[in-house]
Amino acid sequence: RHAAIITLQDWHLFDFAGLSFRYMDPQTDPGVLNSWRKDMIYGYGFSYMYTRKAWRTQAFPDTEDCEDDVFMAGLRDKHKACIGLVKLPSQDFGLVAHTFHTDNTGVSEFNGSKRLGSAVPVPPGFEDLLPILRGISTQIPRPLPPRPFVPPGPLSWPRTLQPTSGPGTGFPGATK
């Protein structure tokens, strides 16, 4: 038995603010910086499927953010696990939707204030969920400005400990 993990290479996005869907493919989306592509494809754990051996081999870190990145990188780099990418059969096929709402604690698919991905009609796989999503949306606070995607730092320096402002961070107040 081997440590193995697969993840989606493309997915849908759902925004509670407008109850709208987008299709995201980090490999081809023109708004995704080249330096972000690999981290976006392998770092979002909402679509991971992995073997028990992978789970036992590489622990998820006890952190509020980027635990998926560390898990995947450890399996890939340290343990040489089998890693696969799965493409959705089509943009119309609804399997998972990475959701953005005002209480998000992690980063989402934005480049600055620009939402990544392309607008799509409601994928058929999600149509039956819309009444539930509409009900939830009334309980979510008003939108805040989006947080930009920040690629993960090296495994030895968890992103939760990295500076969030200052020279070279790309955040407000940063100077070079």
Side-chain angles (χ1 to χ4, degrees), residues 5-25:
I5 185 169
I6 61 172
T7 189
L8 291 176
Q9 72 179 35
D10 56 335
W11 56 86
H12 285 94
L13 308 173
F14 176 72
D15 292 335
F16 265 104
L19 296 174
S20 59
F21 285 88
R22 302 180 78 77
Y23 169 75
M24 180 69 207
D25 184 344

Side-chain angles (χ1 to χ4, degrees), residues 124-138:
F126 297 121
E127 287 175 344
D128 291 343
L129 297 174
L130 282 179
I132 296 168
L133 296 171
R134 282 188 190 101
I136 293 169
S137 71
T138 63

